[in-house]
Each structure stands twice: as C-alpha cells, then as structure tokens.
Amino acid sequence: MSTETKPKHVGRNIGRLRELRGIKQDALAFAIGVSQQTISHIENSEKVDEDKLELIAKELGMSVEAIKNFSEENVVNFFNNFYDSSGTNSAFGNNNQNHFTFNPIDKLVEVYEENKKLYERLLEAEKRK
C-alpha cells in the first residue's frame, strides 16, 4: 500500500475557482491575453507555467498559493469551522452555542451566483461601450 500523496492538479483548481468567481473561460483568456482554448488547455493540465499562473491568480483576485492549495474539502471545512467556532465568540454577547439557519454550502453558491450576475452586468456594460 502506497502512502504517496497525489500531486495537486493546479489546472483543475484554476477551473473550479474561475467557476466559483463566475468568470467564463473566454473572459479570463481575454484578461490575460490568450485564447479560450489556451485556458481550456491550462485547466486540463496538472502543472501550469508560473508566469501564466501569476497572471491568472491576479485576475481571479487571489494568490498563487491559494490556487495551488485549493480544495473543495478545505472550503467546506473553512465554513464549518468558521460557523461552529463563531457560536462561542463573546462578540455575540454570550457564550451560548448559536444555531444557524442556513447551510454554508448554500451561502457559497449564493455568493457565486451574485458574482456571476455582477460579471454579466460588467460584460454587458463593456459591450455597450
């Protein structure tokens, strides 16, 4: 039985983060000066050229390390830990456990949809120019 860790698939991380940000491949391609096919190729590549990765990170509004270390599991854990620990935070006025009435994943999807709508509005405004 092997204990080797599977290498990170940076391209897949880029694709997932791009989707979460509500950015289409062609918009990202335009922003960094490549074709949509190049973005598709990057997202299917396990390793990505550092220069391209830096450009993509800048356009996605995050660090290169955030892209390299992204995982769906970490996102879920972040939301679960954030909401679980916030119930005992004295900023709420007491140390009683608070019970939230929403699912963190639903909140993530809601933010994604809002970003998508904002991006589409910005794209429409650019088209009108």
Side-chain angles (χ1 to χ4, degrees), residues 89-124:
N89 188 341
S90 61
F92 286 101
N94 61 35
N95 288 333
N96 295 333
Q97 185 70 18
N98 290 317
H99 297 282
F100 294 96
T101 59
F102 61 89
N103 182 337
I105 301 299
D106 292 343
K107 202 65 162 165
L108 184 64
V109 170
E110 181 182 320
V111 169
Y112 166 76
E113 292 297 327
E114 289 172 2
N115 284 341
K116 183 178 176 183
K117 289 175 186 173
L118 174 62
Y119 171 73
E120 289 171 351
R121 287 195 310 262
L122 289 170
L123 193 58
E124 268 309 305

Side-chain angles (χ1 to χ4, degrees), residues 57-111:
K58 182 179 175 187
E59 288 304 316
L60 294 178
M62 57 189 56
S63 70
V64 169
E65 288 304 310
I67 292 174
K68 288 181 178 179
N69 296 320
F70 173 79
S71 79
E72 301 274 340
E73 185 177 331
N74 287 345
V75 171
V76 171
N77 287 339
F78 170 79
F79 278 103
N80 285 339
N81 289 337
F82 177 79
Y83 292 116
D84 287 346
S85 66
S86 66
T88 58
N89 188 341
S90 61
F92 286 101
N94 61 35
N95 288 333
N96 295 333
Q97 185 70 18
N98 290 317
H99 297 282
F100 294 96
T101 59
F102 61 89
N103 182 337
I105 301 299
D106 292 343
K107 202 65 162 165
L108 184 64
V109 170
E110 181 182 320
V111 169

